[in-house]
Amino acid sequence: MENNTTSIESGSSVKTVSSTQQMNNDRPKDSNGCFKFALIAILVVIVFVFCSFSSMIAILSMGTQTSSERILDEGSADRIAVINVNGMILQSIDSSIFSAGGGVTPSMVRADLDSALSDPSVKAIILYIESPGGEAVASDVIREYVSEASQRKPVVAYSGSIAASGGYMIASAADKFVVHPGVLTGSIGVILETSSIDGLYEKLGIETVTFKSGEFKDDSELYDGVDGEIETIYQGIVDEAYNDFVDMVAEGRQMDRETVVKLADGRLYTGRQAVANGLADSMGYFEKAVQEAEELAGISGSTIVEYGNQGFWDALLGTKVQGIIGSQLVPNSSFGVYYLPDITR
């Protein structure tokens, strides 16, 4: 191989360098340049992903919801809005990315109802309920929203799986309640649970000292158990919530109160049983609910539009799947009054 040399003059001295040596000296410089460029590019991507992820977490942590609309069946200009009531009924939901989330809140249902009521092309509303119930106050608030909506447009409730306790309370406020024959519904009743761990603390040698302003300020009774006057207080809360539930069903279903009381022992009913005892109107699939809604609105061949008020996990997992996750994780998370069947324990 020919080895040419080049003389490089520096000041008063002359240095001879071969062309091969010159090429070898240049190669590391090119490699270093490519490495630096690749490193910078990787760092830019990492920063971009981190910033995007942080922004997403911030938005989700604030509980931001995204509304969507999906056409299920294209038809005439007259539309029927389908509003989902899925999972545990809660007053609020932690919708951050680190939370399992799940369930439905009054604000979510209210937003969808408002959209349906304000759209002149929507002639009727279908509430697609798949819920075991939930918090007493949240269930009552949604029921009131549904009752108000039914004064303006026909509302049909439908359930193909479960509409129990608080879920049934909401359904009872609709003009019609259509059920699948095998649905689980009813469960008209109230649950308030507490626990006693004083035996465990005694075994562990732990003694609790409580400073309180009144005799019943620490009435969760986690340490001493429930008895005496505190039991009377708790039972009074349950009885009041139960009577309210019975009154709401009697009013919504236009049934005699005594008849409702006989049915309201907390048990679940199948769709067939519910239709037979008057807690539901008819059996069928979703198409039956559409038919009932069209008859009430005096329309036919309508366009069926599903409304959605979704968060991150709803969009990722799907509303029904996410509702199931929420219904399994939330029931025992806090002390309070619930309209729930005992099967969720």
Side-chain angles (χ1 to χ4, degrees), residues 167-212:
Y168 177 73
M169 174 187 285
I170 294 170
S172 70
D175 297 303
K176 295 285 185 179
F177 183 28
V178 180
V179 292
H180 184 279
V183 74
L184 294 178
T185 189
S187 187
I188 303 170
V190 183
I191 287 179
L192 188 155
E193 292 182 336
T194 185
S195 303
S196 174
I197 58 175
D198 59 326
L200 175 62
Y201 269 32
E202 184 179 349
K203 290 181 179 180
L204 295 175
I206 299 174
E207 180 181 356
T208 60
V209 179
T210 303
F211 300 93
K212 55 187 179 180

Side-chain angles (χ1 to χ4, degrees), residues 16-319:
T16 302
V17 182
S18 69
S19 59
T20 303
Q21 290 175 326
Q22 185 67 37
M23 291 173 61
N24 290 337
N25 288 337
D26 290 339
R27 284 174 183 167
K29 295 180 181 178
D30 293 338
S31 299
N32 288 338
C34 292
F35 176 78
K36 290 179 180 178
F37 178 82
L39 181 61
I40 292 173
I42 292 172
L43 290 174
V44 169
V45 171
I46 292 174
V47 171
F48 176 80
V49 171
F50 177 80
C51 292
S52 301
F53 189 71
S54 299
S55 300
M56 182 175 64
I57 292 176
I59 292 173
L60 293 171
S61 297
M62 291 187 293
T64 300
Q65 303 287 333
T66 58
S67 295
S68 62
E69 182 179 298
R70 184 166 64 100
I71 295 178
L72 301 180
D73 187 14
E74 188 76 54
S76 67
D78 294 326
R79 311 204 316 174
I80 293 177
V82 179
I83 296 175
N84 293 302
V85 180
N86 294 319
M88 279 284 292
I89 301 167
L90 304 167
Q91 194 64 39
S92 62
I93 294 175
D94 179 6
S95 52
S96 71
I97 194 170
F98 303 107
S99 167
V104 61
T105 67
S107 62
M108 293 166 64
V109 177
R110 181 61 181 268
D112 288 338
L113 285 173
D114 286 346
S115 297
L117 293 172
S118 62
D119 187 345
S121 68
V122 172
K123 306 302 182 182
I125 298 169
I126 295 177
L127 288 178
Y128 200 132
I129 303 173
E130 298 296 347
S131 172
E135 294 178 7
V137 173
S139 301
D140 178 35
V141 172
I142 295 177
R143 180 206 62 83
E144 182 64 20
Y145 290 159
V146 173
S147 180
E148 292 174 355
S150 68
Q151 302 302 313
R152 299 172 57 184
K153 294 183 179 182
V155 178
V156 174
Y158 174 78
S159 182
S161 179
I162 185 168
S165 289
Y168 177 73
M169 174 187 285
I170 294 170
S172 70
D175 297 303
K176 295 285 185 179
F177 183 28
V178 180
V179 292
H180 184 279
V183 74
L184 294 178
T185 189
S187 187
I188 303 170
V190 183
I191 287 179
L192 188 155
E193 292 182 336
T194 185
S195 303
S196 174
I197 58 175
D198 59 326
L200 175 62
Y201 269 32
E202 184 179 349
K203 290 181 179 180
L204 295 175
I206 299 174
E207 180 181 356
T208 60
V209 179
T210 303
F211 300 93
K212 55 187 179 180
S213 59
E215 181 180 357
F216 303 111
K217 182 57 182 174
D218 62 336
D219 60 358
S220 63
E221 297 296 315
L222 287 173
Y223 308 106
D224 301 325
V226 178
D227 55 20
E229 192 171 356
I230 189 65
E231 182 177 0
T232 302
I233 292 174
Y234 280 178
Q235 190 60 52
I237 293 172
V238 170
D239 291 343
E240 183 176 313
Y242 170 79
N243 285 322
D244 289 343
F245 198 163
V246 170
D247 290 338
M248 293 171 194
V249 173
E251 178 184 357
R253 296 295 305 166
Q254 298 181 355
M255 297 173 66
D256 182 76
R257 193 180 193 280
E258 292 183 2
T259 301
V260 176
V261 170
K262 292 178 181 178
L263 298 169
D265 58 2
R267 77 180 66 186
L268 288 162
Y269 299 98
T270 65
R272 288 186 177 88
Q273 293 170 342
V275 172
N277 63 32
L279 293 180
D281 293 291
S282 59
M283 289 183 294
Y285 296 95
F286 179 73
E287 291 74 16
K288 176 65 174 177
V290 173
Q291 179 185 342
E292 292 280 5
E294 288 183 331
E295 288 181 3
L296 289 173
I299 59 176
S300 62
S302 57
T303 294
I304 312 302
V305 182
E306 181 182 39
Y307 283 17
N309 203 318
Q310 299 184 331
F312 175 78
W313 290 111
D314 293 307
L316 181 64
L317 298 177
T319 308

